[in-house]
Amino acid sequence: MPGVSAVHAQATRRRGPAVRVVVQRVASARVEAAGQVLASIGCGLLILAGFEEADADPDIAWMSAKLARLRIFPDAAGTMNRRLLDVHGEAPAMSQCTLLASTRKGNRPSWSRAARPEVAQPLFDRFVGSLERALGCRVQTGEFGADMQVHLINDGPVTISIDSRCPE
């Protein structure tokens, strides 16, 4: 995606909020709510995304491009060298405010950093659209704000946490 590094440079100059994602390489995954299957895939990436109030389009664009380019599928030699597109995988995405939990004070998590639902849902919708453009395919989703059950077979296991402001 052209200009992504420039967009990321602009996004990382600011301190504060960031799109936070946990991505898992899966052999299969299924998401259900109220007994209904909302998303179901074979090989691919399960993406859990959390948003803060001040998250913006540069953060979303950077994260989408990073996920599309992420090489965590094995090649013929067994080296993690292939992207989701290379393996013809799928990538369901779920909004998950609990990724922004703070346990700094006490033992009960605080989600005060998480965007309110009326802010988070449009951010998540823009993230899904950006991810679909970056991947060139439809991205299945769960139901925003619903109590969902996520069933998965983690392949590897490979689980990676990515923050748009702290690329490591």
Side-chain angles (χ1 to χ4, degrees):
M1 178 180 269
V4 170
S5 59
V7 167
H8 182 252
Q10 176 186 357
T12 56
R13 277 194 289 271
R14 297 179 314 193
R15 296 216 183 265
V19 174
R20 182 167 295 163
V21 164
V22 170
V23 59
Q24 297 179 300
R25 186 178 79 189
V26 297
S28 64
R30 184 178 76 250
V31 180
E32 300 175 357
Q36 290 189 303
V37 175
L38 303 176
S40 182
I41 67 162
C43 169
L45 299 175
L46 177 66
I47 300 167
L48 307 173
F51 302 91
E52 296 184 37
E53 295 276 332
D55 285 341
D57 288 333
D59 300 299
I60 290 170
W62 181 85
M63 184 63 74
S64 299
K66 175 59 98 177
L67 291 169
R69 293 188 319 263
L70 197 60
R71 297 185 315 170
I72 61 172
F73 292 91
D75 61 17
T79 303
M80 285 192 218
N81 211 15
R82 299 175 76 199
R83 303 168 302 150
L84 181 68
L85 294 172
D86 299 330
V87 298
H88 307 289
E90 299 177 89
M94 309 301 131
S95 178
Q96 188 169 351
C97 68
T98 60
L99 293 179
L100 298 162
S102 172
T103 57
R104 188 176 348 180
K105 295 180 181 178
N107 296 316
R108 188 171 133 205
S110 166
W111 289 279
S112 61
R113 289 181 46 206
R116 293 168 290 133
E118 62 271 17
V119 174
Q121 184 158 12
L123 286 169
F124 178 69
D125 293 342
R126 291 199 316 264
F127 172 68
V128 169
S130 179
L131 195 53
E132 287 178 335
R133 288 186 296 280
L135 293 172
C137 65
R138 180 177 167 269
V139 172
Q140 298 179 55
T141 63
E143 182 179 332
F144 187 90
D147 180 22
M148 295 180 280
Q149 292 73 49
V150 180
H151 308 266
L152 65 113
I153 298 174
N154 195 322
D155 184 20
V158 176
T159 302
I160 300 172
S161 177
I162 306 171
D163 186 309
S164 66
R165 300 293 169 87
C166 298
E168 296 184 56

PDB file of all heavy atoms in Angstrom, residues 94-115:
ATOM      1  N   MET A  94     -12.966  -9.140  15.009  1.00  0.00           N
ATOM      2  CA  MET A  94     -13.901  -8.902  16.100  1.00  0.00           C
ATOM      3  C   MET A  94     -13.452  -7.668  16.867  1.00  0.00           C
ATOM      4  O   MET A  94     -12.265  -7.520  17.155  1.00  0.00           O
ATOM      5  CB  MET A  94     -13.922 -10.072  17.100  1.00  0.00           C
ATOM      6  CG  MET A  94     -14.101 -11.455  16.532  1.00  0.00           C
ATOM      7  SD  MET A  94     -15.610 -11.637  15.627  1.00  0.00           S
ATOM      8  CE  MET A  94     -14.975 -12.405  14.142  1.00  0.00           C
ATOM      9  N   SER A  95     -14.401  -6.816  17.209  1.00  0.00           N
ATOM     10  CA  SER A  95     -14.100  -5.686  18.073  1.00  0.00           C
ATOM     11  C   SER A  95     -14.014  -6.207  19.504  1.00  0.00           C
ATOM     12  O   SER A  95     -14.866  -6.976  19.945  1.00  0.00           O
ATOM     13  CB  SER A  95     -15.200  -4.639  17.960  1.00  0.00           C
ATOM     14  OG  SER A  95     -14.936  -3.573  18.835  1.00  0.00           O
ATOM     15  N   GLN A  96     -12.955  -5.816  20.221  1.00  0.00           N
ATOM     16  CA  GLN A  96     -12.772  -6.315  21.580  1.00  0.00           C
ATOM     17  C   GLN A  96     -12.174  -5.229  22.468  1.00  0.00           C
ATOM     18  O   GLN A  96     -10.959  -5.039  22.508  1.00  0.00           O
ATOM     19  CB  GLN A  96     -11.882  -7.559  21.579  1.00  0.00           C
ATOM     20  CG  GLN A  96     -11.842  -8.211  22.926  1.00  0.00           C
ATOM     21  CD  GLN A  96     -11.194  -9.575  22.900  1.00  0.00           C
ATOM     22  OE1 GLN A  96     -10.901 -10.139  21.846  1.00  0.00           O
ATOM     23  NE2 GLN A  96     -10.970 -10.119  24.069  1.00  0.00           N
ATOM     24  N   CYS A  97     -13.036  -4.542  23.196  1.00  0.00           N
ATOM     25  CA  CYS A  97     -12.587  -3.442  24.054  1.00  0.00           C
ATOM     26  C   CYS A  97     -11.687  -3.931  25.188  1.00  0.00           C
ATOM     27  O   CYS A  97     -10.876  -3.171  25.709  1.00  0.00           O
ATOM     28  CB  CYS A  97     -13.776  -2.671  24.615  1.00  0.00           C
ATOM     29  SG  CYS A  97     -14.774  -3.594  25.804  1.00  0.00           S
ATOM     30  N   THR A  98     -11.784  -5.205  25.556  1.00  0.00           N
ATOM     31  CA  THR A  98     -10.976  -5.709  26.667  1.00  0.00           C
ATOM     32  C   THR A  98      -9.482  -5.723  26.361  1.00  0.00           C
ATOM     33  O   THR A  98      -8.673  -5.857  27.279  1.00  0.00           O
ATOM     34  CB  THR A  98     -11.440  -7.115  27.105  1.00  0.00           C
ATOM     35  OG1 THR A  98     -11.305  -8.008  25.999  1.00  0.00           O
ATOM     36  CG2 THR A  98     -12.880  -7.093  27.585  1.00  0.00           C
ATOM     37  N   LEU A  99      -9.100  -5.549  25.112  1.00  0.00           N
ATOM     38  CA  LEU A  99      -7.675  -5.455  24.769  1.00  0.00           C
ATOM     39  C   LEU A  99      -7.038  -4.216  25.392  1.00  0.00           C
ATOM     40  O   LEU A  99      -5.820  -4.134  25.516  1.00  0.00           O
ATOM     41  CB  LEU A  99      -7.470  -5.409  23.251  1.00  0.00           C
ATOM     42  CG  LEU A  99      -7.823  -6.668  22.475  1.00  0.00           C
ATOM     43  CD1 LEU A  99      -7.596  -6.444  20.988  1.00  0.00           C
ATOM     44  CD2 LEU A  99      -7.027  -7.857  22.967  1.00  0.00           C
ATOM     45  N   LEU A 100      -7.868  -3.258  25.766  1.00  0.00           N
ATOM     46  CA  LEU A 100      -7.365  -2.010  26.330  1.00  0.00           C
ATOM     47  C   LEU A 100      -7.462  -1.992  27.855  1.00  0.00           C
ATOM     48  O   LEU A 100      -7.410  -0.937  28.477  1.00  0.00           O
ATOM     49  CB  LEU A 100      -8.131  -0.831  25.726  1.00  0.00           C
ATOM     50  CG  LEU A 100      -7.932  -0.736  24.210  1.00  0.00           C
ATOM     51  CD1 LEU A 100      -8.990   0.118  23.571  1.00  0.00           C
ATOM     52  CD2 LEU A 100      -6.551  -0.230  23.898  1.00  0.00           C
ATOM     53  N   ALA A 101      -7.591  -3.151  28.462  1.00  0.00           N
ATOM     54  CA  ALA A 101      -7.703  -3.242  29.919  1.00  0.00           C
ATOM     55  C   ALA A 101      -6.447  -2.718  30.608  1.00  0.00           C
ATOM     56  O   ALA A 101      -5.337  -2.927  30.137  1.00  0.00           O
ATOM     57  CB  ALA A 101      -7.949  -4.687  30.345  1.00  0.00           C
ATOM     58  N   SER A 102      -6.665  -2.054  31.712  1.00  0.00           N
ATOM     59  CA  SER A 102      -5.567  -1.620  32.558  1.00  0.00           C
ATOM     60  C   SER A 102      -5.727  -2.324  33.906  1.00  0.00           C
ATOM     61  O   SER A 102      -6.803  -2.291  34.499  1.00  0.00           O
ATOM     62  CB  SER A 102      -5.602  -0.105  32.765  1.00  0.00           C
ATOM     63  OG  SER A 102      -4.641   0.268  33.744  1.00  0.00           O
ATOM     64  N   THR A 103      -4.647  -2.938  34.360  1.00  0.00           N
ATOM     65  CA  THR A 103      -4.658  -3.584  35.672  1.00  0.00           C
ATOM     66  C   THR A 103      -3.673  -2.894  36.606  1.00  0.00           C
ATOM     67  O   THR A 103      -3.236  -3.480  37.597  1.00  0.00           O
ATOM     68  CB  THR A 103      -4.307  -5.084  35.542  1.00  0.00           C
ATOM     69  OG1 THR A 103      -3.038  -5.195  34.915  1.00  0.00           O
ATOM     70  CG2 THR A 103      -5.363  -5.829  34.744  1.00  0.00           C
ATOM     71  N   ARG A 104      -3.362  -1.656  36.291  1.00  0.00           N
ATOM     72  CA  ARG A 104      -2.391  -0.891  37.071  1.00  0.00           C
ATOM     73  C   ARG A 104      -2.831  -0.736  38.522  1.00  0.00           C
ATOM     74  O   ARG A 104      -2.038  -0.805  39.432  1.00  0.00           O
ATOM     75  CB  ARG A 104      -2.191   0.476  36.424  1.00  0.00           C
ATOM     76  CG  ARG A 104      -1.090   1.277  37.035  1.00  0.00           C
ATOM     77  CD  ARG A 104      -0.854   2.574  36.338  1.00  0.00           C
ATOM     78  NE  ARG A 104      -1.560   2.622  35.059  1.00  0.00           N
ATOM     79  CZ  ARG A 104      -1.534   3.624  34.239  1.00  0.00           C
ATOM     80  NH1 ARG A 104      -0.837   4.674  34.521  1.00  0.00           N
ATOM     81  NH2 ARG A 104      -2.185   3.610  33.107  1.00  0.00           N
ATOM     82  N   LYS A 105      -4.113  -0.495  38.736  1.00  0.00           N
ATOM     83  CA  LYS A 105      -4.627  -0.288  40.092  1.00  0.00           C
ATOM     84  C   LYS A 105      -5.506  -1.472  40.475  1.00  0.00           C
ATOM     85  O   LYS A 105      -6.580  -1.659  39.909  1.00  0.00           O
ATOM     86  CB  LYS A 105      -5.447   0.992  40.164  1.00  0.00           C
ATOM     87  CG  LYS A 105      -4.646   2.246  39.916  1.00  0.00           C
ATOM     88  CD  LYS A 105      -5.532   3.453  40.013  1.00  0.00           C
ATOM     89  CE  LYS A 105      -4.758   4.722  39.742  1.00  0.00           C
ATOM     90  NZ  LYS A 105      -5.635   5.892  39.795  1.00  0.00           N
ATOM     91  N   GLY A 106      -5.055  -2.252  41.405  1.00  0.00           N
ATOM     92  CA  GLY A 106      -5.868  -3.348  41.904  1.00  0.00           C
ATOM     93  C   GLY A 106      -5.917  -4.535  40.965  1.00  0.00           C
ATOM     94  O   GLY A 106      -5.118  -4.673  40.046  1.00  0.00           O
ATOM     95  N   ASN A 107      -6.903  -5.387  41.191  1.00  0.00           N
ATOM     96  CA  ASN A 107      -7.022  -6.631  40.445  1.00  0.00           C
ATOM     97  C   ASN A 107      -8.202  -6.653  39.493  1.00  0.00           C
ATOM     98  O   ASN A 107      -8.346  -7.598  38.728  1.00  0.00           O
ATOM     99  CB  ASN A 107      -7.127  -7.811  41.416  1.00  0.00           C
ATOM    100  CG  ASN A 107      -5.863  -7.941  42.231  1.00  0.00           C
ATOM    101  OD1 ASN A 107      -4.766  -7.843  41.692  1.00  0.00           O
ATOM    102  ND2 ASN A 107      -6.006  -8.123  43.526  1.00  0.00           N
ATOM    103  N   ARG A 108      -9.060  -5.668  39.577  1.00  0.00           N
ATOM    104  CA  ARG A 108     -10.196  -5.612  38.670  1.00  0.00           C
ATOM    105  C   ARG A 108      -9.823  -4.704  37.501  1.00  0.00           C
ATOM    106  O   ARG A 108      -9.495  -3.528  37.693  1.00  0.00           O
ATOM    107  CB  ARG A 108     -11.423  -5.061  39.398  1.00  0.00           C
ATOM    108  CG  ARG A 108     -12.653  -5.158  38.553  1.00  0.00           C
ATOM    109  CD  ARG A 108     -13.877  -4.809  39.363  1.00  0.00           C
ATOM    110  NE  ARG A 108     -14.653  -3.892  38.549  1.00  0.00           N
ATOM    111  CZ  ARG A 108     -15.492  -3.014  39.013  1.00  0.00           C
ATOM    112  NH1 ARG A 108     -15.688  -2.897  40.290  1.00  0.00           N
ATOM    113  NH2 ARG A 108     -16.142  -2.248  38.202  1.00  0.00           N
ATOM    114  N   PRO A 109      -9.861  -5.220  36.279  1.00  0.00           N
ATOM    115  CA  PRO A 109      -9.451  -4.408  35.127  1.00  0.00           C
ATOM    116  C   PRO A 109     -10.339  -3.177  34.937  1.00  0.00           C
ATOM    117  O   PRO A 109     -11.535  -3.206  35.214  1.00  0.00           O
ATOM    118  CB  PRO A 109      -9.604  -5.357  33.939  1.00  0.00           C
ATOM    119  CG  PRO A 109      -9.665  -6.711  34.529  1.00  0.00           C
ATOM    120  CD  PRO A 109     -10.243  -6.567  35.899  1.00  0.00           C
ATOM    121  N   SER A 110      -9.725  -2.133  34.432  1.00  0.00           N
ATOM    122  CA  SER A 110     -10.436  -0.923  34.046  1.00  0.00           C
ATOM    123  C   SER A 110     -10.376  -0.816  32.523  1.00  0.00           C
ATOM    124  O   SER A 110      -9.335  -1.071  31.924  1.00  0.00           O
ATOM    125  CB  SER A 110      -9.762   0.300  34.669  1.00  0.00           C
ATOM    126  OG  SER A 110     -10.240   1.484  34.056  1.00  0.00           O
ATOM    127  N   TRP A 111     -11.479  -0.450  31.931  1.00  0.00           N
ATOM    128  CA  TRP A 111     -11.527  -0.264  30.479  1.00  0.00           C
ATOM    129  C   TRP A 111     -11.728   1.206  30.130  1.00  0.00           C
ATOM    130  O   TRP A 111     -12.268   1.549  29.095  1.00  0.00           O
ATOM    131  CB  TRP A 111     -12.624  -1.131  29.845  1.00  0.00           C
ATOM    132  CG  TRP A 111     -12.258  -2.575  29.870  1.00  0.00           C
ATOM    133  CD1 TRP A 111     -11.437  -3.217  28.983  1.00  0.00           C
ATOM    134  CD2 TRP A 111     -12.628  -3.549  30.826  1.00  0.00           C
ATOM    135  NE1 TRP A 111     -11.286  -4.534  29.339  1.00  0.00           N
ATOM    136  CE2 TRP A 111     -12.010  -4.765  30.475  1.00  0.00           C
ATOM    137  CE3 TRP A 111     -13.429  -3.530  31.976  1.00  0.00           C
ATOM    138  CZ2 TRP A 111     -12.161  -5.926  31.204  1.00  0.00           C
ATOM    139  CZ3 TRP A 111     -13.582  -4.691  32.704  1.00  0.00           C
ATOM    140  CH2 TRP A 111     -12.955  -5.868  32.310  1.00  0.00           C
ATOM    141  N   SER A 112     -11.252   2.097  30.996  1.00  0.00           N
ATOM    142  CA  SER A 112     -11.472   3.526  30.787  1.00  0.00           C
ATOM    143  C   SER A 112     -10.793   4.043  29.521  1.00  0.00           C
ATOM    144  O   SER A 112     -11.208   5.060  28.972  1.00  0.00           O
ATOM    145  CB  SER A 112     -11.020   4.329  32.006  1.00  0.00           C
ATOM    146  OG  SER A 112      -9.640   4.133  32.238  1.00  0.00           O
ATOM    147  N   ARG A 113      -9.751   3.361  29.048  1.00  0.00           N
ATOM    148  CA  ARG A 113      -9.066   3.786  27.816  1.00  0.00           C
ATOM    149  C   ARG A 113      -9.826   3.382  26.557  1.00  0.00           C
ATOM    150  O   ARG A 113      -9.600   3.930  25.478  1.00  0.00           O
ATOM    151  CB  ARG A 113      -7.666   3.189  27.750  1.00  0.00           C
ATOM    152  CG  ARG A 113      -6.719   3.815  28.755  1.00  0.00           C
ATOM    153  CD  ARG A 113      -5.331   3.227  28.675  1.00  0.00           C
ATOM    154  NE  ARG A 113      -4.851   3.116  27.310  1.00  0.00           N
ATOM    155  CZ  ARG A 113      -3.939   2.230  26.937  1.00  0.00           C
ATOM    156  NH1 ARG A 113      -3.410   1.396  27.804  1.00  0.00           N
ATOM    157  NH2 ARG A 113      -3.538   2.181  25.688  1.00  0.00           N
ATOM    158  N   ALA A 114     -10.716   2.403  26.684  1.00  0.00           N
ATOM    159  CA  ALA A 114     -11.454   1.920  25.512  1.00  0.00           C
ATOM    160  C   ALA A 114     -12.463   2.962  25.048  1.00  0.00           C
ATOM    161  O   ALA A 114     -13.097   3.649  25.856  1.00  0.00           O
ATOM    162  CB  ALA A 114     -12.167   0.616  25.848  1.00  0.00           C
ATOM    163  N   ALA A 115     -12.604   3.068  23.740  1.00  0.00           N
ATOM    164  CA  ALA A 115     -13.580   3.994  23.169  1.00  0.00           C
ATOM    165  C   ALA A 115     -14.993   3.572  23.554  1.00  0.00           C
ATOM    166  O   ALA A 115     -15.300   2.380  23.625  1.00  0.00           O
ATOM    167  CB  ALA A 115     -13.438   4.028  21.650  1.00  0.00           C
TER     168      ALA A 115
END
